[in-house]
Amino acid sequence: MSEFNEFDQQGSVPNKETGSIISHAFEMYKGVFLYGVVAMVIYLIGGFLIQSITGFNSASMVEEMKSSGGNFSYWNAPGFPLYMTFSGVFGILLAPLYVGLIYIVNKYNTKNQIEFSDLFIGYRQNFVNILIYSFLSGIISAVAMALCVLPFFFVYPLLLLGYPILLFENASATEALGKSFNIAKENYGTFLLTTFLGGLISMAGIILCGIGIILTAPFMMVVMYSTYCAFLGKPRQIMFKQP
């Protein structure tokens, strides 16, 4: 696309504008969406296993909500507290997988050969900091969600660059959190609109009978990468330590 700065065989960088970032993310996602699907399948399988282990049934809870007349309590649903605990831990443990998808996007952008094992690079590189960041950002998001949900949409843009910073700069969790916050704060309008549009696209799969979410949900990880490129430049070729 003409709005990208092209580097022969070295990848592209979007402008610091929402339209350019989303367009760049689309171009990247077209080349890596199968890896995103793999990540989502792993997430869904884990979710089903957790439901079976805890005895929680989301379908039956929906029915109870409909028949309760507004007097339903989530925490009284069979297995729900245990399900939420296990899901939270599982979500944190999956964070390196999302980082791996960002790594694959960068390899696709820079015309480097992609290997399936690249999807799991986050489990071998900066693993502890990725988990800590996932935990901290999860707490921040949960608090924002608890405040009538709406604040979450204004807080999430401040976290948008965390995972790319952890990956490409080998930063600590607190460094990634602080740097993401500071950059987003200075460019908040662009970050807010980019997050909003990226989130809409990621959730669009729900319209496709729900199962389409497998195809669209990983798009947000690609938006993170494109936003990083726009504001911090295309990452240099990174070499990871072998285990």
Side-chain angles (χ1 to χ4, degrees):
M1 292 186 176
S2 59
E3 63 186 337
F4 299 159
N5 300 313
E6 299 291 346
F7 298 92
D8 294 340
Q9 300 301 311
Q10 295 181 15
S12 57
V13 176
N15 298 325
K16 296 178 180 180
E17 302 168 354
T18 295
S20 182
I21 293 170
I22 295 297
S23 295
H24 184 268
F26 265 122
E27 291 299 311
M28 296 298 102
Y29 194 53
K30 287 192 296 186
V32 305
F33 78 94
L34 287 177
Y35 294 97
V37 169
V38 171
M40 278 303 299
V41 168
I42 292 174
Y43 173 81
L44 291 176
I45 290 175
F48 286 134
L49 289 176
I50 290 173
Q51 283 202 35
S52 64
I53 292 172
T54 60
F56 171 70
N57 189 306
S58 57
S60 63
M61 187 181 74
V62 171
E63 292 300 321
E64 288 184 36
M65 288 175 62
K66 291 179 179 179
S67 61
S68 65
N71 297 318
F72 181 80
S73 172
Y74 291 99
W75 294 102
N76 290 332
F80 183 73
L82 191 59
Y83 171 78
M84 290 299 294
T85 301
F86 279 31
S87 293
V89 173
F90 182 60
I92 292 173
L93 292 177
L94 275 189
L97 196 66
Y98 306 146
V99 171
L101 181 58
I102 294 172
Y103 178 55
I104 286 176
V105 177
N106 185 59
K107 292 189 76 172
Y108 176 77
N109 188 29
T110 54
K111 310 299 189 292
N112 284 292
Q113 183 177 353
I114 298 173
E115 300 178 0
F116 183 75
S117 61
D118 291 333
L119 188 60
F120 305 96
I121 196 69
Y123 293 98
R124 305 195 300 272
Q125 181 74 16
N126 213 11
F127 173 68
V128 174
N129 279 302
I130 292 172
L131 294 188
I132 294 174
Y133 179 85
S134 178
F135 176 72
L136 294 176
S137 61
I139 290 177
I140 294 171
S141 298
V143 171
M145 286 287 287
L147 299 174
C148 300
V149 180
L150 187 61
F152 170 80
F153 297 101
F154 294 98
V155 170
Y156 194 75
L158 301 172
L159 307 172
L160 196 62
L161 295 181
Y163 286 135
I165 291 172
L166 287 166
L167 172 65
F168 299 121
E169 302 178 20
N170 203 35
S172 70
T174 53
E175 287 172 343
L177 193 62
K179 187 169 184 176
S180 178
F181 178 86
N182 289 330
I183 295 173
K185 182 180 63 175
E186 296 298 323
N187 306 275
Y188 188 71
T190 300
F191 272 68
L192 179 62
L193 186 55
T194 298
T195 302
F196 177 72
L197 292 178
L200 281 181
I201 295 168
S202 295
M203 299 302 294
I206 295 177
I207 301 174
L208 303 174
C209 301
I211 195 66
I213 195 71
I214 295 176
L215 299 177
T216 60
F219 182 72
M220 199 65 203
M221 299 299 112
V222 187
V223 170
M224 292 179 180
Y225 171 78
S226 295
T227 306
Y228 180 94
C229 288
F231 286 90
L232 292 170
K234 181 177 62 64
R236 290 175 295 178
Q237 182 63 32
I238 45 183
M239 301 296 294
F240 290 109
K241 295 178 288 186
Q242 296 296 321

